[in-house]
Structures are given as C-alpha cells and as structure tokens.
Amino acid sequence: MNILAVADLHGNFENIDLKDVDVLLLAGDIAKQNPSAEDVFLAARQIEEWSRVVPVVFVHGNHDSYKSSHGKWYDLEKVVRTPAGRFFCLDKKCPS
C-alpha cells in the first residue's frame, strides 16, 4: 500500500500527484495561514476532489479553521462533503 503523507500545504495544492497512491494522509494545515471562509471552503473542495481518486485521512491543523464575523469558528473537516468511506477525520474536532 502506498500512502502519500503531506502537511503544511497552506493552500498550495498544485504539486500533489496521486499517481500510484492508495491513501492520502493530510496531516494538518491544509488551508492557508489565517484562512478566510473562502480559503477553508476551497481547501474542502480540493479534499473532495482528491477523495474521488483515493481515500483521504485528515488530521486537523491550527490553520484549518476560520472565525466568522459573528465570532463563530468553522472547521475545515465539517464542510467537506464526500461519499461514505472516502474521508476519515482523526481528531477530537471531527464531527461524529
């Protein structure tokens, strides 16, 4: 089994090559530093695209949330929409 493990992408998704990869491990800080809502949603859409190719395992990083103008925090893993069995979140912040 080939596992591609990456961390600290901070929104730089263009160099991820999933050829010959069986599982993608995203080990935090996938969204840009100090992300806006748009940055978090763009990261979520990218994870959804990757999950169509390989299963994705995600660990929440400190740059994978944004604070709305209303003061509410939103976490990247809570806005990812993938079919069952394609996205696995390994963190206490993960939705149950």
Side-chain angles (χ1 to χ4, degrees):
M1 174 175 280
N2 294 321
I3 300 171
L4 175 60
V6 295
D8 299 307
L9 292 175
H10 295 291
N12 297 311
F13 307 129
E14 57 277 345
N15 293 323
I16 302 300
D17 181 4
L18 298 179
K19 185 179 181 212
D20 299 322
V21 171
D22 297 308
V23 175
L24 176 60
L25 170 61
L26 300 175
D29 293 350
I30 306 310
K32 290 183 178 180
Q33 289 183 321
N34 303 311
S36 66
E38 181 179 1
D39 295 330
V40 169
F41 280 94
L42 285 172
R45 299 301 79 85
Q46 181 61 61
I47 290 171
E48 291 165 2
E49 185 177 318
W50 287 328
S51 75
R52 290 186 197 97
V53 180
V54 297
V56 175
V57 177
F58 175 79
V59 179
H60 185 93
N62 64 319
H63 292 291
D64 293 327
S65 299
Y66 76 95
K67 189 174 184 180
S68 73
S69 58
H70 305 294
K72 183 176 179 182
W73 283 94
Y74 291 89
D75 299 321
L76 172 58
E77 64 274 8
K78 293 179 182 169
V79 296
V80 172
R81 302 290 177 247
T82 62
R86 302 301 293 178
F87 179 74
F88 305 91
C89 184
L90 305 177
D91 196 279
K92 64 182 178 184
K93 288 184 164 232
C94 297
S96 43

